[in-house]
């Protein structure tokens, strides 16, 4: 991962809650892409604490739970993201993926 980008985003953590949430959301996504799921989860939590209505933060949190195969909990985060932004296609798609996994587990 580009260390300079991470360091730049980390400087935004000390700003107001929306800026902090956006920076933490981006860091969560970067760590998720790097498969560092613990760090991705940590920054998703920071983003949600800074702005609970941030759909991208909720999706990131759902994704970190999804990779741990807790599809029910992941679906809840995706649903909450959709409640905050009903046009969020990523949340809708991920909710569908979680629902399919839940159906596979039942059968």
């Amino acid at each position: 991962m580009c260390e300079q980008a991470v360091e730049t985003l980390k400087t935004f953590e000390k700003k107001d809650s929306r800026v902090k949430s956006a920076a933490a959301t981006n860091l969560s996504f970067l760590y998720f892409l790097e498969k560092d799921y613990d760090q991705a989860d940590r920054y998703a939590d920071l983003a949600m604490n800074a702005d609970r209505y941030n759909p991208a933060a909720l999706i990131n949190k759902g994704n970190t739970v999804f990779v741990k195969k807790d599809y029910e909990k992941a679906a809840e985060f995706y649903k909450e993201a959709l409640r905050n932004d009903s046009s969020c296609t990523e949340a809708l798609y991920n909710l569908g993926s979680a629902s399919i996994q839940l159906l596979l587990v039942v059968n």
Side-chain angles (χ1 to χ4, degrees):
M1 181 180 341
C2 180
E3 293 301 316
Q4 185 178 8
V6 171
E7 291 307 313
T8 300
L9 286 170
K10 286 182 179 181
T11 64
F12 289 111
E13 287 182 296
K14 295 167 180 50
K15 304 292 181 187
D16 72 56
S17 64
R18 286 201 178 236
V19 172
K20 183 189 299 187
S21 180
T25 297
N26 289 331
L27 283 165
S28 175
F29 185 69
L30 287 172
Y31 281 116
F32 190 85
L33 290 176
E34 293 289 319
K35 295 185 170 82
D36 186 344
Y37 302 126
D38 291 334
Q39 284 289 79
D41 188 56
R42 178 176 164 256
Y43 280 101
D45 285 338
L46 283 172
M48 290 186 333
N49 287 337
D51 180 5
R52 186 60 189 198
Y53 301 103
N54 179 345
L58 292 161
I59 291 167
N60 285 348
K61 182 63 177 181
N63 291 345
T64 64
V65 175
F66 187 96
V67 297
K68 294 175 185 170
K69 300 186 180 185
D70 189 347
Y71 306 118
E72 214 169 300
K73 193 171 184 179
E76 289 303 314
F77 284 111
Y78 301 142
K79 287 177 190 175
E80 188 174 347
L82 281 168
R83 282 191 295 272
N84 294 333
D85 180 0
S86 61
S87 68
C88 187
T89 55
E90 187 178 354
L92 186 59
Y93 178 87
N94 290 356
L95 177 58
S97 295
S99 297
I100 289 169
Q101 292 301 317
L102 284 168
L103 287 172
L104 293 174
V105 171
V106 171
N107 295 325

